[in-house]
Each structure stands twice: as structure tokens, then as C-alpha cells.
Amino acid sequence: MTMLLTILSVVSLLMPASFHHTQENKVERAECLRPFYEKLDRGKQPVRILHLGDSHVRGHVFSVVARRQLEEAWGSAAVEPQEISYRTTALATETGKAGLVYHAIGINGARYAHFNTPAYLEKVKELQPDLIVLSFGTNEAQGTYSEAVHREEMGALVEALRKQCSAVQILLTTPPGAYRTLRIRHRRNGKTYYTYQRQANPNTPKVCAVLRSYAEENGLPVWDLYAIVGGQQYGLRNWTSAGMMRKDRIHYTDAGYTLMGRLLAEALIKARETNDKK
């Protein structure tokens, strides 16, 4: 394990060779996760992750792949074996033994505000997470983007989660990126017609910048998936050239979500190694 982690700390072994201008796969401000890793290191009780997000999480591939990878690394005795598909829940069934428990709840079309309700906050409290992973931003970037609204909704959810679970650590993740479809109006021979053109959503870099800024201001760790896979210039090119985006150019194929899940797990494993060295 030590040799593997040493290798992973230098370069991601998971990134496809076709991906260009990628960055190191890591959790920034990983030291903020030390209480989570210390509890994991003690090995005396279940340690829980709760992954909340939008349709990328709801698809039960991204989060479930991360779950399986982390169970393999940190112990699966804390949960009952279960098959998970789009039609099932992605909430784990606990055994009470020590090990990793990884729950996931995703909502199609969700923004941060969708989880800031009494019902969802009560569910979070019931699950007693030690670490909450928040994966939003794709829907914030759709349509007219408001930095003020984004920051307000993100901050409100973070504070609400902290009130529900006072000792919880929170990890923010950036969205992977998406295209948007433009409708272009034309006039010819007195008639109007439209053509449609896809372009990289220009709001995604803005969403990521606000998310990173908020994380820095509030001392939160962040996993910048958008930058890791190539950023504004190369990210979407990398995903599409590898055939990992669906036809709507917003969602990803199972192969794409599998890569995301493996990268998230790898980053969390590396973050544990970083904390162990300090």
C-alpha cells in the first residue's frame, strides 16, 4: 500500500493517455480533512462519507465507483454487500463494524439549494456523516449565471450542514464541465429559420472560480475535477475525444463517470497519505 500511495502522489495512473494538459489529481487543503482520517486510522468504528450532488451523483456510477474503490482501500466490513443501480438507492446498509460507509444522494437538476430543506437536512443528521462531499455546479452554470446567488446558496447549505453535524468535514468538488446549445436566428428570402450550435459553457469557469474562492475564504478542502482533467481549454476536448460524454454534452457515459469515481477515490487516498506524513 505504501509503495502504491507513493506512486499515486507523483502522477495519476488513471488518466487516459489521450487526455492533454491534465493537472495533479489531489484534494487541495487536504489538511482540513485530518479529523476524518484520524477517526479512520483509529479503526474502532464506522467512518461515514455522504456524497450529495446533482444528476452526476444521481446516476449511481460516479459515487458508487468511488465507494467501491474506498471500501477496497479502507475496509468494507462496515456495510452489507449490495447491488446498486439507477433504480435503487445508493444509501449503504451498515453492519455496525469498523470500516468505511459511503452514502450517496443525487437529484437530477439539483443546485445547492435543493438540499437545504428540513427533510434533507434531517436525513443528513440521521446518517451521521464524518465527511460530506458536495458535487454541484453544473446546473448553477446553466442559463443566466449569478455569482451572488451561487455564493449565497452554497454558503447557506454549508452552514446548514454544519449546524446539523457540528463535527463534520465538508469537501467541495467542481463540476466536470458541459456544453450549451445556442439557437441562432437566420433570415433568408423573407423567411426565418434557426440553426443550433454547441459551445463549451462559458459559465463553468466562473462557477469553479467562485467555488474555489469560497473554499479558500472558509478553509474548506476542494477537489477541482474541472482543472484536473484539463480545465477550460482542454477539459471538454479530453472528455469528448475519449467518447466519455453523452449526446446531450452535459452528462457523461458510464466510462466517464467511472473515471470520475476512480479519480475521486484516488485523490482521497492520497489526501490520507498527506495527512499521515504531517
Side-chain angles (χ1 to χ4, degrees), residues 105-126:
I105 305 175
I107 303 175
N108 292 334
R111 300 161 58 113
Y112 291 93
H114 284 82
F115 281 91
N116 195 4
T117 66
Y120 278 113
L121 292 174
E122 185 59 32
K123 185 62 177 178
V124 169
K125 185 176 181 179
E126 175 188 323

Side-chain angles (χ1 to χ4, degrees), residues 22-255:
T22 58
Q23 296 185 13
E24 182 184 357
N25 181 29
K26 65 178 183 179
V27 174
E28 299 176 37
R29 283 181 294 280
E31 66 276 6
C32 299
L33 298 177
R34 184 170 296 175
F36 169 77
Y37 291 119
E38 287 176 345
K39 184 175 180 181
L40 191 63
D41 289 340
R42 287 193 290 270
K44 295 181 178 180
Q45 60 193 114
V47 181
R48 302 178 180 91
I49 295 175
L50 173 58
H51 195 165
L52 304 178
D54 49 32
S55 56
H56 300 313
V57 175
R58 172 63 186 89
H60 294 175
V61 179
F62 171 26
S63 58
V64 173
V65 168
R67 168 181 167 173
R68 301 301 189 209
Q69 296 283 305
L70 293 174
E71 285 176 345
E72 182 178 346
W74 296 340
S76 59
V79 296
E80 297 283 356
Q82 63 186 120
E83 293 294 326
I84 302 174
S85 71
Y86 188 82
R87 295 180 176 83
T88 70
T89 178
L91 297 179
T93 301
E94 298 191 29
T95 64
K97 297 179 181 179
L100 179 74
V101 177
Y102 195 120
H103 301 294
I105 305 175
I107 303 175
N108 292 334
R111 300 161 58 113
Y112 291 93
H114 284 82
F115 281 91
N116 195 4
T117 66
Y120 278 113
L121 292 174
E122 185 59 32
K123 185 62 177 178
V124 169
K125 185 176 181 179
E126 175 188 323
L127 294 173
Q128 298 180 304
D130 299 289
L131 170 63
I132 297 177
V133 180
L134 298 180
S135 294
F136 299 96
T138 294
N139 296 301
E140 280 80 358
Q142 297 300 314
T144 302
Y145 173 65
S146 168
E147 176 181 333
V149 172
H150 177 198
R151 186 176 289 268
E152 179 182 358
E153 291 183 349
M154 179 167 49
L157 179 59
V158 168
E159 291 307 309
L161 292 171
R162 282 175 164 166
K163 287 180 181 178
Q164 290 294 92
C165 309
S166 58
V168 75
Q169 274 71 57
I170 295 175
L171 171 64
L172 300 180
T173 79
T174 60
Y179 289 88
R180 69 176 181 179
T181 302
L182 300 179
R183 189 174 77 158
I184 303 171
R185 183 175 181 271
H186 304 273
R187 291 281 294 176
R188 180 183 296 173
N189 299 327
K191 296 182 179 181
T192 299
Y193 69 98
Y194 297 91
T195 58
Y196 296 86
Q197 184 181 72
R198 281 202 174 113
Q199 66 170 206
N201 190 333
N203 291 331
T204 303
K206 300 175 187 177
V207 165
C208 295
V210 169
L211 190 152
R212 290 175 57 89
S213 173
Y214 176 85
E216 184 174 3
E217 292 166 6
N218 292 275
L220 293 175
V222 61
W223 181 59
D224 192 348
L225 174 63
Y226 185 67
I228 289 165
V229 297
Q232 184 174 0
Q233 187 172 2
Y234 287 94
L236 288 175
R237 294 188 200 180
N238 287 336
W239 289 116
T240 53
S241 65
M244 291 184 176
M245 292 195 80
R246 295 194 182 278
K247 291 182 179 180
D248 65 6
R249 292 297 188 262
I250 295 174
H251 298 96
Y252 290 73
T253 64
D254 284 359

